[in-house]
Amino acid sequence: MRILIAEDDQVLADGLLRTLRAAGAAVDHVASGSEADAALLTNNEFDLLILDLGLPRMHGLEVLKRLRSRGSTLPVLILTAADSVEERVRGLDLGADDYMAKPFALQELEARVRALVRRGNGAASSQIKHGPLVYDQAGRVATIDGKMVELSARELGLLEVLLQRAGRLVSKDQLVERLCEWGEEVSNNAIEVYIHRLRKKIEKGPIRIATVRGLGYCLEKIPG
């Protein structure tokens, strides 16, 4: 998953970055409202926005208002001071999906992030199933016919994207956008290598990753 954090407290931002990256997410960070607004204007591959309201150069509520005015349904988790009930209410009224009052437990934030991303993808469960293949987003474990498949962090991220769009074509550019943070260099050749490794581990029985040359990849079930 790809997450944007808009938070001007560097200590808190560093903690969020470490926690969410350890959970397998690609995470980008901005420290002002204007930077958040610009990032959201130019990138539509984020799965979630974690938005502090007390941002410099543009208040978080204005960032949220602009995002929703563009018709975006991106899930938004707002961060607020514990005593700012009025701001929390206004944020929810403007289209935020959830909020957390500072200070908060990082473990709870992780759980809320997973729930919001699932909701954004139209899933009620943390498990995504594709034939005998099951991926548990909470535990970051993939199984085929109940047997665990050993996958690297990058392979798990790739599998998650393909499962979320199973049956639909996913281009190499889309994979790079969903898996990689700003400044991280991942070439199309590298994506091909990751796809090759993932294929060797999951293409069992009726599952395959089809290649549409020049266009991208599609996770399919082979008719029995």
Side-chain angles (χ1 to χ4, degrees):
M1 75 182 83
R2 182 92 182 265
I3 298 172
L4 177 64
I5 297 173
E7 170 60 64
D8 65 326
D9 182 330
Q10 192 60 52
V11 174
L12 176 56
D14 287 344
L16 293 174
L17 288 165
R18 284 194 301 271
T19 298
L20 294 172
R21 284 170 177 164
V27 192
D28 297 305
H29 170 238
V30 293
S32 73
S34 58
E35 289 176 297
D37 187 54
L40 294 165
L41 271 168
T42 57
N43 191 319
N44 62 1
E45 291 295 335
F46 292 116
D47 295 294
L48 175 71
L49 169 63
I50 298 177
L51 178 66
D52 179 40
L53 294 187
L55 293 170
R57 298 207 294 275
M58 185 184 294
H59 195 275
L61 289 176
E62 181 62 22
V63 175
L64 177 60
K65 185 178 179 180
R66 292 188 183 205
L67 177 70
R68 293 299 186 234
S69 72
R70 295 191 290 268
S72 173
T73 58
L74 176 71
V76 176
L77 171 62
I78 58 176
L79 306 179
T80 70
D83 58 350
S84 58
V85 175
E86 187 176 327
E87 280 194 334
R88 294 203 297 270
V89 170
R90 193 170 169 215
L92 292 169
D93 285 343
L94 284 173
D97 299 272
D98 199 359
Y99 74 86
M100 295 192 73
K102 303 176 185 177
F104 50 79
L106 290 173
Q107 187 176 11
E108 181 184 357
L109 180 129
E110 278 190 82
R112 287 176 183 257
V113 164
R114 290 193 297 267
L116 287 172
V117 171
R118 285 199 305 271
R119 193 185 308 165
N121 290 320
S125 167
S126 66
Q127 291 188 339
I128 308 176
K129 298 181 181 181
H130 186 76
L133 172 63
V134 179
Y135 176 59
D136 184 343
Q137 294 173 292
R140 290 186 61 76
V141 173
T143 59
I144 295 178
D145 291 324
K147 296 180 181 178
M148 189 183 303
V149 183
E150 294 290 340
L151 298 174
S152 69
R154 185 69 84 189
E155 290 162 357
L156 281 169
L158 182 60
L159 176 62
E160 186 173 36
V161 175
L162 292 173
L163 279 168
Q164 288 171 345
R165 304 187 182 192
R168 292 178 287 167
L169 192 67
V170 185
S171 70
K172 288 181 181 178
D173 287 343
Q174 286 176 317
L175 289 174
V176 170
E177 286 288 330
R178 292 290 301 278
L179 296 174
C180 305
E181 301 167 5
W182 296 328
E184 185 180 357
E185 296 294 332
V186 177
S187 66
N188 283 345
N189 287 341
I191 293 294
E192 290 177 6
V193 170
Y194 296 137
I195 287 285
H196 174 72
R197 292 175 181 167
L198 185 60
R199 271 198 179 110
K200 289 173 67 176
K201 296 177 180 181
I202 71 165
E203 285 197 341
K204 301 173 182 179
I207 304 168
R208 74 170 181 179
I209 302 173
T211 299
V212 181
R213 191 166 299 279
L215 295 177
Y217 306 96
C218 179
L219 187 65
E220 298 179 339
K221 282 187 263 188
I222 302 170

